[in-house]
Amino acid sequence: MALAAANRLPAMYFFREFVQEGGLMSYAPSDTDLFRRAATYVDKVMKGTNPGDLPVEQPTKFELVINLKTAKALGLDVPPTLLARADEVIE
């Protein structure tokens, strides 16, 4: 993140925490949804299901987070249509 900021490069990240710390944007699985789904696996294992019998799942909910402060610092105009699609906009 420091390299992108030092060179004024727009960058996209996998974790929303990078955007909260000053990165431009992220598009990644929802942490909340991943933890909720993991809890169902823990519940099944605690009730006696063999972990090897549980299916492997992929994330189903993704979040787009945009940091407008960083966009302005980079001299970028974020289109209103992209802002409207964002799950969170940091101003």
Side-chain angles (χ1 to χ4, degrees), residues 63-74:
E63 294 178 331
L64 174 62
V65 181
I66 300 171
N67 189 326
L68 282 181
K69 288 188 283 188
T70 302
K72 288 177 186 174
L74 293 172

Side-chain angles (χ1 to χ4, degrees), residues 17-78:
E17 290 79 14
F18 285 102
V19 179
Q20 292 167 336
E21 294 298 321
L24 179 59
M25 66 175 56
S26 71
Y27 185 68
S30 165
D31 290 340
T32 305
D33 187 56
L34 290 177
F35 293 141
R36 180 187 55 77
R37 292 175 66 196
T40 62
Y41 270 62
V42 171
D43 180 56
K44 289 176 183 178
V45 170
M46 297 300 277
K47 289 180 178 175
T49 303
N50 180 352
D53 295 337
L54 294 173
V56 175
E57 294 185 8
Q58 293 186 14
T60 57
K61 183 176 180 194
F62 290 80
E63 294 178 331
L64 174 62
V65 181
I66 300 171
N67 189 326
L68 282 181
K69 288 188 283 188
T70 302
K72 288 177 186 174
L74 293 172
L76 299 173
D77 291 324
V78 180

